[in-house]
């Protein structure tokens, strides 16, 4: 059972070099974490309450951002009772929500925090099999959801992502970095390291976002025991398709994270400064509930300076390393970023994870792809045929017979009703998108809001340019 299709070194080489999503099979058969179903986790937590996000199952034209969801503190026992249709007296705070109308998601739970009094459980997650020794559940996050639970389409600014499916199945809709302009990126609501899409992938509004037609979705259904690799800056919309799902993920540090942190620091400064000046008390829900509360300008400036210093230090290390490499003929890639979502810059060296990979970067991308050992143990997530109507599902099964991959067409069909459109849109303000009873368009607003200005200022393309100008200034 302990025999893996790939060695840790080979697996790490694949993870660090592959630039398209893929599914690893038969790599985690001996992981104790495979037993982490909700019943087991409920027993381990012993009645400890955790936060759940609740959203409507109805599919709207507007993405259901976390700012428009409800939140409850509940135990996993109460979650199970609710999701299994047991009497409402057993479901606690979930009893206020009709299971047929709502989904629940205990997402983004740091395993190190929720199991802080049971550190032995961290060893149930063994990312060392993927070439990252010392990485366990302590550097991972836990996701527990009901059928329909989802995350809005977004990309992560930092690292690449390894996702283990433990219970139930999840469907992933992935889009390559080159499709970014087709997905209409926005930083509202603001959350460090998450760039959201204005498009609701499940029901795109092609009148407001016509360029979405040019995007190319890669769709895969992840089953228990399979591990999905999400490369850097790949967009993803994730939905639970079984009554209960459990996933574990870990973000892998990359050298590019240093520059990304500079961009994130600039974004945070702008968002906090502008929104605080407008209305420091509520900020019309511009700040994602999972994000820390707004900090002072001074703290944000310190954050920016730390990010810039870390980037420049990494560049100096890289240059000196290349000089040594040229003299010895060795080519080595060293990663010293200390990546974790929403983690501040300026960590001590001993708290950082040093990742080293021997790799020949002189080979072409085509040659590198030829070296990737695709087969029954590593399945590429392929692009789906782009059509404007629902198409059939094509399934690829692993050795165990689990549903692995599907090229599923997204249903772009006509909207049942035209929504109220605004000349200036604000995705955080759900009231601005309420539907007219007669489905006819209303008079558009003409005044620009603070969010309109902010959405343009913190556009990822603008932030990238500002970051480059700042870094050039520091070099001079």
């Amino acid at each position: 059972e302990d025999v893996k299709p790939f060695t840790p070194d080979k697996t790490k080489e694949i993870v660090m070099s592959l630039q398209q999503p893929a599914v690893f099979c038969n790599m985690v058969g001996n992981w104790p974490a495979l037993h982490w179903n909700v019943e087991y986790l409920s027993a381990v937590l012993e009645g400890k309450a955790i936060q759940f996000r609740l959203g409507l199952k109805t599919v709207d034209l507007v993405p259901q951002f976390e700012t428009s969801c409800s939140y409850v503190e509940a135990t996993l026992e109460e979650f199970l009772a609710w999701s299994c249709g047991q009497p409402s007296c057993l479901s606690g705070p979930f009893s206020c929500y009709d299971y047929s109308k709502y989904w629940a998601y205990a997402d983004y739970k740091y395993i190190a925090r929720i199991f802080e009094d049971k550190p032995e459980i961290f060893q149930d997650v063994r990312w060392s099999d993927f070439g990252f020794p010392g990485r366990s559940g302590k550097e991972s996050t836990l996701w527990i959801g009901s059928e329909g639970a989802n995350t809005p389409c977004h990309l992560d600014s930092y690292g690449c992502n390894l996702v283990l499916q433990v219970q139930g199945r999840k469907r992933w809709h992935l889009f390559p970095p080159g499709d970014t302009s087709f997905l209409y990126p926005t930083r509202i609501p603001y959350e460090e390291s998450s760039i959201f899409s204005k498009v609701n992938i499940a029901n795109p509004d092609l009148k407001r976002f016509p360029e979405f037609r040019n995007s190319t979705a890669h769709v895969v259904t992840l089953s228990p025991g399979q591990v999905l690799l999400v490369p850097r800056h790949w967009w993803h919309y994730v939905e639970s398709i079984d009554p209960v799902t459990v996933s574990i993920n870990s973000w892998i540090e990359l050298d590019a994270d240093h520059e990304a942190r500079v961009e994130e620091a600039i974004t945070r400064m702008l968002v906090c400064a502008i929104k605080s000046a407008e209305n420091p008390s509520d900020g019309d829900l511009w700040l994602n509930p999972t994000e820390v509360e707004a900090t002072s300008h001074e703290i944000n400036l310190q954050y920016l300076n730390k990010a810039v210093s870390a980037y420049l230090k990494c560049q100096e290390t890289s240059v000196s390393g290349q000089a040594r490499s040229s003299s010895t003929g060795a080519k080595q890639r060293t990663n010293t970023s200390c990546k974790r979502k929403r983690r501040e810059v300026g960590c001590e060296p001993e708290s950082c994870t040093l990742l080293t990979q021997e790799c020949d970067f002189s080979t072409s991308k085509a040659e590198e792809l030829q070296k990737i050992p695709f087969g029954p143990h590593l399945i590429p997530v392929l692009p789906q045929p782009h059509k404007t109507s629902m198409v059939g599902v094509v399934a690829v099964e692993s050795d165990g017979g689990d549903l692995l991959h599907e090229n599923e067409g997204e249903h772009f069909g006509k909207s049942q009703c035209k929504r109220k459109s605004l000349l200036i849109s604000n995705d955080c303000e759900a009231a601005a998108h309420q539907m007219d009873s007669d489905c006819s368009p209303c008079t558009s607003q003409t005044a620009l809001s603070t969010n309109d200005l902010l959405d343009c200022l913190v556009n990822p393309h603008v932030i990238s340019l500002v970051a480059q100008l700042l870094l050039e200034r520091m070099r001079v």
Side-chain angles (χ1 to χ4, degrees):
E1 291 182 357
D2 293 340
V3 176
K4 313 289 184 184
F6 309 113
T7 65
D9 287 344
K10 183 61 179 179
T11 309
K12 181 178 178 181
E13 179 185 333
I14 294 170
V15 170
M16 301 300 282
S17 63
L18 188 56
Q19 297 302 307
Q20 73 176 90
V23 176
F24 287 93
C25 301
N26 309 310
M27 284 291 294
V28 297
N30 64 335
W31 286 24
L34 285 183
H35 302 294
W36 285 19
N37 56 34
V38 174
E39 290 84 355
Y40 173 80
L41 294 173
S42 176
V44 173
L45 286 174
E46 299 176 330
K48 181 179 181 179
I50 58 178
Q51 187 182 72
F52 287 83
R53 173 166 58 97
L54 291 107
L56 288 168
K57 289 184 177 180
T58 54
V59 181
D60 204 346
L61 289 174
V62 180
Q64 195 166 178
F65 291 117
E66 295 175 36
T67 49
S68 62
C69 292
S70 300
Y71 293 83
V72 300
E73 295 281 338
T75 66
L76 286 182
E77 291 94 333
E78 292 167 334
F79 168 74
L80 269 176
W82 178 72
S83 60
C84 295
Q86 295 180 15
S88 59
C89 60
L90 301 176
S91 58
F94 287 109
S95 60
C96 300
Y97 300 89
D98 186 340
Y99 179 77
S100 66
K101 297 180 181 179
Y102 288 88
W103 49 257
Y105 211 178
D107 54 356
Y108 221 121
K109 298 291 181 286
Y110 281 111
I111 293 174
R113 293 177 187 169
I114 61 176
F115 297 115
E116 58 185 352
D117 57 338
K118 295 179 173 63
E120 67 278 1
I121 202 172
F122 301 155
Q123 303 311 312
D124 287 2
V125 183
R126 303 173 177 174
W127 296 116
S128 57
D129 286 343
F130 284 76
F132 303 101
R135 184 178 293 259
S136 65
K138 191 174 183 179
E139 295 81 26
S140 307
T141 53
L142 182 67
W143 310 69
I144 303 171
S146 67
E147 183 178 5
N150 64 81
T151 54
C153 187
H154 68 284
L155 68 79
D156 301 317
S157 302
Y158 306 146
C160 61
N161 195 1
L162 287 173
V163 187
L164 166 65
Q165 193 62 28
V166 176
Q167 180 179 5
R169 296 169 300 156
K170 279 186 175 178
R171 183 170 293 123
W172 287 71
H173 303 249
L174 301 119
F175 301 84
D179 282 1
T180 293
S181 62
F182 306 145
L183 291 163
Y184 298 84
T186 182
R187 295 311 301 262
I188 303 174
Y190 171 74
E191 173 184 295
E192 183 186 346
S193 81
S194 292
I195 300 175
F196 293 102
S197 169
K198 294 180 180 180
V199 182
N200 186 350
I201 303 303
N203 187 25
D205 186 345
L206 296 179
K207 291 185 178 179
R208 287 185 64 199
F209 310 114
E211 291 298 310
F212 181 69
R213 290 187 179 92
N214 299 320
S215 65
T216 303
H218 296 59
V219 183
V220 62
T221 296
L222 201 64
S223 296
Q226 297 168 347
V227 176
L228 173 66
L229 166 64
V230 182
R232 179 176 186 263
H233 285 183
W234 273 72
W235 293 83
H236 45 284
Y237 167 79
V238 191
E239 55 182 337
S240 297
I241 60 176
D242 283 330
V244 175
T245 62
V246 176
S247 306
I248 299 170
N249 88 291
S250 190
W251 283 277
I252 306 301
E253 298 89 348
L254 300 172
D255 286 333
D257 292 346
H258 287 292
E259 185 170 350
R261 282 196 176 85
V262 175
E263 296 179 0
E264 288 299 304
I266 296 170
T267 302
R268 184 176 184 82
M269 283 195 71
L270 287 171
V271 169
C272 290
I274 293 177
K275 293 304 297 185
S276 297
E278 180 191 54
N279 189 345
S281 61
D282 58 30
D284 69 5
L285 298 178
W286 64 270
L287 189 67
N288 225 32
T290 52
E291 183 59 43
V292 297
E293 63 184 33
T295 55
S296 68
H297 182 76
E298 181 180 2
I299 291 176
N300 288 333
L301 186 58
Q302 292 175 3
Y303 186 97
L304 174 61
N305 277 287
K306 288 181 180 180
V308 171
S309 297
Y311 171 84
L312 295 175
K313 183 177 180 180
C314 179
Q315 291 295 101
E316 292 173 2
T317 303
S318 177
V319 171
S320 61
Q322 289 176 3
R324 290 193 302 269
S325 175
S326 62
S327 63
T328 61
K331 294 185 179 180
Q332 185 179 63
R333 180 172 184 236
T334 302
N335 187 319
T336 58
S337 64
C338 182
K339 184 262 166 200
R340 188 200 299 172
K341 262 196 158 188
R342 304 180 186 86
R343 174 186 255 178
E344 286 196 1
V345 180
C347 56
E348 295 300 320
E350 59 267 24
S351 67
C352 295
T353 302
L354 182 63
L355 303 179
T356 304
Q357 177 192 13
E358 297 291 343
C359 184
D360 184 0
F361 289 97
S362 62
T363 58
S364 66
K365 183 177 180 180
E367 290 173 337
E368 288 178 353
L369 285 176
Q370 289 179 356
K371 294 180 180 179
I372 299 297
F374 290 126
H377 306 296
L378 180 65
I379 313 295
V381 181
L382 302 175
Q384 65 176 18
H386 193 82
K387 297 182 180 179
T388 56
S389 60
M390 186 67 74
V391 299
V393 173
V394 179
V396 178
E397 296 185 352
S398 66
D399 291 345
D402 292 327
L403 178 63
L404 177 64
H405 178 268
E406 59 187 54
N407 282 340
E408 180 184 87
E410 297 197 36
H411 185 52
F412 292 157
K414 295 182 179 179
S415 304
Q416 292 88 356
C417 176
K418 187 181 187 308
R419 299 186 52 82
K420 183 185 293 184
S421 60
L422 300 179
L423 177 62
I424 306 300
S425 65
N426 173 13
D427 292 308
C428 296
E429 298 171 354
H433 300 288
Q434 291 179 348
M435 193 188 320
D436 291 339
S437 58
D438 61 354
C439 300
S440 60
C442 284
T443 304
S444 299
Q445 293 184 358
T446 57
L448 288 168
S449 68
T450 304
N451 278 359
D452 297 317
L453 171 63
L454 187 61
D455 206 16
C456 294
L457 285 176
V458 297
N459 181 284
H461 298 297
V462 176
I463 294 298
S464 178
L465 176 60
V466 173
Q468 292 303 316
L469 292 172
L470 274 179
L471 293 172
E472 284 298 325
R473 180 184 294 263
M474 291 299 295
R475 293 189 186 99
V476 173

